[in-house]
Amino acid sequence: MTEQTQTTYTPDLAARFPEWVTPDSRPGFSGYLVQREHLLDFCKTLRDDLGYDLLSSVTGVDYLPEGKLEVVYHALQTVGGPMLVFKVQVPRDEAVVPSVVSIWPGAEFQEREAWDLLGIRFEGHPDLRRILMWEGFEGHPLRKDWKEPYFEEEVKPYKSRWPDGQVERIEDRMPLQDNVQYPAGFDPESWTPDGDESLYRGLRKLLEDSGSELKTDRLIVNLGPQHPSTHGVFRMVAVLDGETIVDLKPVMGYLHRNHEKIGERCSWLQNMPFTDRLDYISSMSNNFGYALAVEKLMGITPPERAEYIRVIMAELTRIISHLISIGFLLNDLGAFFTPVLYAFEERELILDIFEAVSGSRMMCNYFRFGGVARDFPEGTLEKLRELIYERLPRKIDELDRYLTRNEIVQTRCEGVGVITAEQAISLSTTGPILRASGVPYDIRRADPYSIYDRFEFDVAVRYHGDVYDRYLLRLDEIRQSIRILKQALKDIPEGPVISGKPQWQVRVPAGESYGRVEGPKGELGFYVVSNGKANPWRYHVRAPSFINLTALAPMARGGKIADVVVILGSIDIVLGEVDR
Amino acid sequence: MTPPEINSPGYEIPAEIRNQVNITTLDRVYNWSRKNSLWPMMFGLACCAIEMICTAASRYDFSRFGMEVMRPSPRQADVMIVSGTVTKKMVPQIVRLYNQMPEPKYVIAMGACASGGGPFKEGYNVVSGIDKFIPVDVYIPGCPPTPQALLNGLITLQKKVETESIKSARWYGRRPIQPIPIPVLGPDLMDPRKYGEIRELARQKAEAEAQAAAEAAAPAGEPEAG
Ligand code: SF4
């Protein structure tokens, strides 16, 4: 497999389409710059002739000094191989780019995000509304000249934080003692809040014709943001015909914590603990992705022992995440909380190990550029061995025995929330969703990172694309993770755990980099741009559960309202990552 | 069964009925029963919610303290555990949920975010602590607080409940308790209690901008003025 990957054919696109693209020749950058007028033709060729069937990531970068906004696309072939990156540059004051939703429907949410945060208008987008902030919010916050109310300095560490050795709260310096700012001359009383009008306007069209012989009315129903089924603060607006879902729109942003804006103010290392809080169930694998992205730029690799530790941590995280996902799926099916207790029991044992190695149960902040923060304390390996060889396999079998052949689980899950392989690819889903639809795409095999090419494991794949297969696939993956862990525990060498000496301020050469890992939820990617300074110029997270949500509406349409809860559970979202 | 906290000393209870009769004050028995059945609302905001679930799960198990019933509906809940980052987009809903909770109600700010903004405080969509909008009874530090810390916070709340009295409880007061005005999403988050200040601030900003524009224009217009 490895050899195959290395020989994947990447054509020289600049030679092939000289009038459409030019190579991106900025130092440290790669890929192609595409003419805006030819973007759609280029994308169509990529998809249809060159096999780049999955558009993984779309984002923007604000190059303020050059007066340009850049849209960055990452596309991949689901047969494996490295990513293809291409960009479109537009002037800042006339930021309009053709939308690629017609070619890759999976770009829908990401283009909306780029519109919301960077003010890049995508022409031809079917539903270009703000996605993370609310309609009516003033400005596009990720533009470099947009300042948040609590703005102190461009980059951290802020000098203003400790004036004369005294701590000062920023609220005390603000006019309203609060994190708000208003346009000049604004009058709050004359303001009419949007109240999601633009969202409902799109849905109301569907209300008009129910088309059924019975004179039934269609209804718009809101689930969330406070709803026990949404796993956090997520909202769905469904148009119902009786109990059947006609259409459904996810609404998010209720946990939008401005990860990227903060990330661009923080120094490189300061971002590490923030990545923990993305998908807060799998902090270790978030650390992994970010470390890879920055290490690629810095051109360093961690020592052997650190590589093994990283893999061990990432696989343990996968086990935790899948266990929780299975537990909560049952919760969504109505088996209230008891299955979750089984999942949490095992999770606690793994958390003990995390706490021992990193000092924290959830927010591990354990990876460093070029290694990990510290070595295993004494006794950790023994504990791990007991867990991996004895306890976990037994517990997974137990879970399997309890649930898999359970009649209720089967009837509620089989054939529910189906998406086909083609749909899964075109909607840019990754991870368990994609693999449960019959596409064996796993970055650990398709584009191996770290030392995954050394381990023997199977890429779990299932073929029906329904909730039941997603559940089974997660069980399969836990078993494969245990397999990897056994090999890693056998082979882990002695030695240092970080290359060079640990630094709090690293030097990162100018350039761009995209680091991606196969996280428990799918492809977790970090796109970072450095200009050689102490802080990233751009820091973007390609969040798998955010993009996987594009598949929610196609899965739910035509189904029953009660099943939406289960479908959402099977997508397995974590709001910290969806909203960032 | 004679829980020490409700059994008021000073009265001699005959030995033969000591296990059936207790003498206590109304306040004590009222508080005792309330504090041992605090039902939290099932309401998670962010990372801290996961630790809250852990606290409910088998290892830490807060049902030992009478809190096993978590209700997703605010109408059936006594304690709102604000477990995570409060964003501007979410805060109208949180205030609404708070208003919908029946009295007596308590709020626990769990974690750095809910207490004061936390690691994401500087973010443009983050509220610097839920106490900007609703009254908080107990703050729990940590990011996230461990389940032990949450338990400690809940026990602290129980202690607070113990100190209350029917006589002075606000929910038995004569006047109805006013709901908290729900914040509005404008160009930025707007607290209806502060509309006047917001207007004043925006007016000052407009003035400053006009002045700056005039100053920028002036030297070009009258080069010999100085
Ligand atoms: S305090 Fe920390 S753990 Fe809790 S919600 Fe905030 S960031 Fe997450």
Side-chain angles (χ1 to χ4, degrees), chain B residues 57-70:
Chain B
S58 37
R59 194 190 239 182
Y60 299 100
D61 188 17
F62 64 18
S63 59
R64 290 178 293 157
F65 304 93
M67 294 155 189
E68 69 268 47
V69 196
M70 281 184 117

PDB file of all heavy atoms in Angstrom, chain B residues 57-70:
ATOM      1  N   ALA B  57     -21.909   9.919  35.852  1.00  0.00           N
ATOM      2  CA  ALA B  57     -21.694   8.506  35.527  1.00  0.00           C
ATOM      3  C   ALA B  57     -21.157   7.745  36.738  1.00  0.00           C
ATOM      4  O   ALA B  57     -20.975   8.300  37.815  1.00  0.00           O
ATOM      5  CB  ALA B  57     -20.745   8.395  34.345  1.00  0.00           C
ATOM      6  N   SER B  58     -20.888   6.468  36.507  1.00  0.00           N
ATOM      7  CA  SER B  58     -20.747   5.568  37.649  1.00  0.00           C
ATOM      8  C   SER B  58     -19.605   5.893  38.597  1.00  0.00           C
ATOM      9  O   SER B  58     -19.734   5.722  39.796  1.00  0.00           O
ATOM     10  CB  SER B  58     -20.617   4.136  37.141  1.00  0.00           C
ATOM     11  OG  SER B  58     -19.878   4.099  35.958  1.00  0.00           O
ATOM     12  N   ARG B  59     -18.476   6.375  38.098  1.00  0.00           N
ATOM     13  CA  ARG B  59     -17.358   6.510  39.024  1.00  0.00           C
ATOM     14  C   ARG B  59     -17.602   7.588  40.072  1.00  0.00           C
ATOM     15  O   ARG B  59     -17.261   7.418  41.228  1.00  0.00           O
ATOM     16  CB  ARG B  59     -16.088   6.829  38.253  1.00  0.00           C
ATOM     17  CG  ARG B  59     -14.860   6.651  39.113  1.00  0.00           C
ATOM     18  CD  ARG B  59     -13.643   7.207  38.422  1.00  0.00           C
ATOM     19  NE  ARG B  59     -12.630   6.190  38.233  1.00  0.00           N
ATOM     20  CZ  ARG B  59     -11.452   6.456  37.672  1.00  0.00           C
ATOM     21  NH1 ARG B  59     -11.185   7.636  37.207  1.00  0.00           N
ATOM     22  NH2 ARG B  59     -10.557   5.507  37.547  1.00  0.00           N
ATOM     23  N   TYR B  60     -18.184   8.696  39.670  1.00  0.00           N
ATOM     24  CA  TYR B  60     -18.364   9.806  40.624  1.00  0.00           C
ATOM     25  C   TYR B  60     -19.793   9.876  41.143  1.00  0.00           C
ATOM     26  O   TYR B  60     -20.014  10.182  42.301  1.00  0.00           O
ATOM     27  CB  TYR B  60     -17.939  11.120  39.972  1.00  0.00           C
ATOM     28  CG  TYR B  60     -16.490  11.071  39.583  1.00  0.00           C
ATOM     29  CD1 TYR B  60     -16.099  10.823  38.279  1.00  0.00           C
ATOM     30  CD2 TYR B  60     -15.511  11.214  40.549  1.00  0.00           C
ATOM     31  CE1 TYR B  60     -14.771  10.721  37.939  1.00  0.00           C
ATOM     32  CE2 TYR B  60     -14.176  11.121  40.221  1.00  0.00           C
ATOM     33  CZ  TYR B  60     -13.805  10.877  38.910  1.00  0.00           C
ATOM     34  OH  TYR B  60     -12.488  10.776  38.592  1.00  0.00           O
ATOM     35  N   ASP B  61     -20.727   9.614  40.294  1.00  0.00           N
ATOM     36  CA  ASP B  61     -22.103   9.328  40.686  1.00  0.00           C
ATOM     37  C   ASP B  61     -22.732  10.343  41.634  1.00  0.00           C
ATOM     38  O   ASP B  61     -22.830  10.118  42.830  1.00  0.00           O
ATOM     39  CB  ASP B  61     -22.147   7.937  41.320  1.00  0.00           C
ATOM     40  CG  ASP B  61     -23.581   7.502  41.563  1.00  0.00           C
ATOM     41  OD1 ASP B  61     -24.473   8.118  40.962  1.00  0.00           O
ATOM     42  OD2 ASP B  61     -23.793   6.567  42.336  1.00  0.00           O
ATOM     43  N   PHE B  62     -23.163  11.472  41.089  1.00  0.00           N
ATOM     44  CA  PHE B  62     -23.706  12.476  42.013  1.00  0.00           C
ATOM     45  C   PHE B  62     -25.114  12.159  42.500  1.00  0.00           C
ATOM     46  O   PHE B  62     -25.670  12.911  43.285  1.00  0.00           O
ATOM     47  CB  PHE B  62     -23.542  13.903  41.499  1.00  0.00           C
ATOM     48  CG  PHE B  62     -24.270  14.295  40.237  1.00  0.00           C
ATOM     49  CD1 PHE B  62     -25.323  13.568  39.749  1.00  0.00           C
ATOM     50  CD2 PHE B  62     -23.879  15.448  39.561  1.00  0.00           C
ATOM     51  CE1 PHE B  62     -25.987  13.972  38.605  1.00  0.00           C
ATOM     52  CE2 PHE B  62     -24.529  15.851  38.414  1.00  0.00           C
ATOM     53  CZ  PHE B  62     -25.583  15.110  37.942  1.00  0.00           C
ATOM     54  N   SER B  63     -25.642  11.032  42.110  1.00  0.00           N
ATOM     55  CA  SER B  63     -26.938  10.696  42.696  1.00  0.00           C
ATOM     56  C   SER B  63     -26.777  10.367  44.178  1.00  0.00           C
ATOM     57  O   SER B  63     -27.753  10.355  44.923  1.00  0.00           O
ATOM     58  CB  SER B  63     -27.582   9.542  41.950  1.00  0.00           C
ATOM     59  OG  SER B  63     -26.758   8.425  41.994  1.00  0.00           O
ATOM     60  N   ARG B  64     -25.550  10.133  44.592  1.00  0.00           N
ATOM     61  CA  ARG B  64     -25.313   9.953  46.027  1.00  0.00           C
ATOM     62  C   ARG B  64     -25.757  11.174  46.817  1.00  0.00           C
ATOM     63  O   ARG B  64     -25.971  11.101  48.015  1.00  0.00           O
ATOM     64  CB  ARG B  64     -23.820   9.736  46.274  1.00  0.00           C
ATOM     65  CG  ARG B  64     -23.322   8.416  45.768  1.00  0.00           C
ATOM     66  CD  ARG B  64     -21.850   8.283  46.005  1.00  0.00           C
ATOM     67  NE  ARG B  64     -21.073   9.221  45.200  1.00  0.00           N
ATOM     68  CZ  ARG B  64     -19.857   9.622  45.512  1.00  0.00           C
ATOM     69  NH1 ARG B  64     -19.289   9.205  46.606  1.00  0.00           N
ATOM     70  NH2 ARG B  64     -19.215  10.466  44.724  1.00  0.00           N
ATOM     71  N   PHE B  65     -25.838  12.294  46.140  1.00  0.00           N
ATOM     72  CA  PHE B  65     -26.220  13.527  46.836  1.00  0.00           C
ATOM     73  C   PHE B  65     -27.630  13.969  46.450  1.00  0.00           C
ATOM     74  O   PHE B  65     -27.990  15.116  46.629  1.00  0.00           O
ATOM     75  CB  PHE B  65     -25.219  14.637  46.518  1.00  0.00           C
ATOM     76  CG  PHE B  65     -23.823  14.241  46.858  1.00  0.00           C
ATOM     77  CD1 PHE B  65     -23.008  13.665  45.908  1.00  0.00           C
ATOM     78  CD2 PHE B  65     -23.340  14.409  48.140  1.00  0.00           C
ATOM     79  CE1 PHE B  65     -21.727  13.276  46.231  1.00  0.00           C
ATOM     80  CE2 PHE B  65     -22.057  14.022  48.465  1.00  0.00           C
ATOM     81  CZ  PHE B  65     -21.245  13.444  47.505  1.00  0.00           C
ATOM     82  N   GLY B  66     -28.373  13.069  45.887  1.00  0.00           N
ATOM     83  CA  GLY B  66     -29.757  13.375  45.568  1.00  0.00           C
ATOM     84  C   GLY B  66     -29.937  14.145  44.278  1.00  0.00           C
ATOM     85  O   GLY B  66     -30.894  14.878  44.116  1.00  0.00           O
ATOM     86  N   MET B  67     -29.011  13.972  43.355  1.00  0.00           N
ATOM     87  CA  MET B  67     -29.098  14.770  42.136  1.00  0.00           C
ATOM     88  C   MET B  67     -29.213  13.910  40.894  1.00  0.00           C
ATOM     89  O   MET B  67     -28.850  14.347  39.802  1.00  0.00           O
ATOM     90  CB  MET B  67     -27.846  15.634  41.994  1.00  0.00           C
ATOM     91  CG  MET B  67     -27.757  16.662  43.057  1.00  0.00           C
ATOM     92  SD  MET B  67     -26.084  17.100  43.299  1.00  0.00           S
ATOM     93  CE  MET B  67     -26.223  18.089  44.756  1.00  0.00           C
ATOM     94  N   GLU B  68     -29.670  12.693  41.058  1.00  0.00           N
ATOM     95  CA  GLU B  68     -29.580  11.822  39.897  1.00  0.00           C
ATOM     96  C   GLU B  68     -30.551  12.193  38.797  1.00  0.00           C
ATOM     97  O   GLU B  68     -30.382  11.783  37.669  1.00  0.00           O
ATOM     98  CB  GLU B  68     -29.781  10.360  40.293  1.00  0.00           C
ATOM     99  CG  GLU B  68     -31.180   9.986  40.738  1.00  0.00           C
ATOM    100  CD  GLU B  68     -31.333  10.116  42.234  1.00  0.00           C
ATOM    101  OE1 GLU B  68     -30.901  11.155  42.762  1.00  0.00           O
ATOM    102  OE2 GLU B  68     -31.882   9.207  42.853  1.00  0.00           O
ATOM    103  N   VAL B  69     -31.570  12.950  39.106  1.00  0.00           N
ATOM    104  CA  VAL B  69     -32.557  13.222  38.069  1.00  0.00           C
ATOM    105  C   VAL B  69     -32.165  14.482  37.319  1.00  0.00           C
ATOM    106  O   VAL B  69     -32.309  15.588  37.815  1.00  0.00           O
ATOM    107  CB  VAL B  69     -33.954  13.385  38.675  1.00  0.00           C
ATOM    108  CG1 VAL B  69     -34.985  13.269  37.581  1.00  0.00           C
ATOM    109  CG2 VAL B  69     -34.185  12.363  39.738  1.00  0.00           C
ATOM    110  N   MET B  70     -31.652  14.299  36.127  1.00  0.00           N
ATOM    111  CA  MET B  70     -31.323  15.466  35.311  1.00  0.00           C
ATOM    112  C   MET B  70     -32.454  15.670  34.333  1.00  0.00           C
ATOM    113  O   MET B  70     -32.873  14.738  33.663  1.00  0.00           O
ATOM    114  CB  MET B  70     -30.031  15.219  34.550  1.00  0.00           C
ATOM    115  CG  MET B  70     -28.821  15.408  35.398  1.00  0.00           C
ATOM    116  SD  MET B  70     -27.384  15.205  34.374  1.00  0.00           S
ATOM    117  CE  MET B  70     -26.657  16.796  34.458  1.00  0.00           C
TER     118      MET B  70
END
